[in-house]
Amino acid sequence: KEVFLSSSAEEKAKEWQKKFQNETKIIGISITAGNKIKELGDEKFEDLIKKILLIENIAIICIGSKNDKERIEALVKKIGSQKFTSETNWSLEELPSLIKRLALYIAVDTGPIYIAHALNVPLIDIIGPCDGSEQPPKDDASIQILPRGEVKPSSFVFKKRGTKEEIEKALKETHIEDILEAVKKILK
């Protein structure tokens, strides 16, 4: 796995990082995915973010595309913490320079998890309805969060998708407590 960093993106990221001088660790979170069926839901992410913000010396950035800006800004405003901001003005070329500066990246199953993995950034991959054996990164720096109980995968890359009910059950049975435990484990 290789990710290439442009010199202009590195300069942008260095300048961006200056605003976090007082924070020891920056956590990136992506609440959106190209495929909406993979998304955990803004309410669960709001609860998770509020709990992570209780950890000392942490700042959280919510990463998304320009198309996600309105939704992400609404979440940032709702949480109302100076330690939680949005980043929606990074191109795909620039994104690796931002991600490499994170202490942890948390995301639903979406493309940037592969950037984080290639850059050896600790990763929490919220699998939801996806089949965790198909593609997601697996190593000591990556933790997959699976739904609780007997929930079978229902979203696949190579097989027919499950029913709407199966997908919804997977998201319902994905608990933020499990994600928070993974955050604490990685930040140790």
Side-chain angles (χ1 to χ4, degrees), residues 55-161:
I55 300 170
E56 289 188 36
N57 300 318
I58 294 291
I60 302 173
I61 60 168
C62 193
I63 301 170
S65 71
K66 291 176 184 170
N67 295 338
D68 304 321
K69 184 175 182 168
E70 188 175 306
R71 181 173 161 196
I72 290 171
E73 290 297 328
L75 182 61
V76 168
K77 184 177 180 181
K78 193 171 185 181
I79 291 176
S81 171
Q82 291 182 340
K83 293 173 66 176
F84 178 55
T85 61
S86 67
E87 291 299 330
T88 56
N89 63 340
W90 295 77
S91 69
L92 187 56
E93 178 187 345
E94 296 169 331
L95 194 56
S97 293
L98 174 66
I99 289 176
K100 88 172 204 177
R101 288 166 168 77
L102 302 176
L104 170 62
Y105 182 60
I106 304 169
V108 295
D109 191 53
T110 187
I113 64 172
Y114 301 101
I115 295 172
H117 187 249
L119 293 169
N120 296 313
V121 172
L123 169 67
I124 296 175
D125 182 6
I126 304 167
I127 298 293
C130 298
D131 185 346
S133 67
E134 280 190 320
Q135 290 185 305
K138 293 178 191 153
D139 60 24
D140 292 340
S142 301
I143 297 175
Q144 289 185 355
I145 303 298
L146 301 168
R148 290 182 185 174
E150 304 220 5
V151 179
K152 294 179 181 176
S154 51
S155 179
F156 306 94
V157 175
F158 303 109
K159 298 184 243 175
K160 184 180 175 193
R161 181 181 297 165

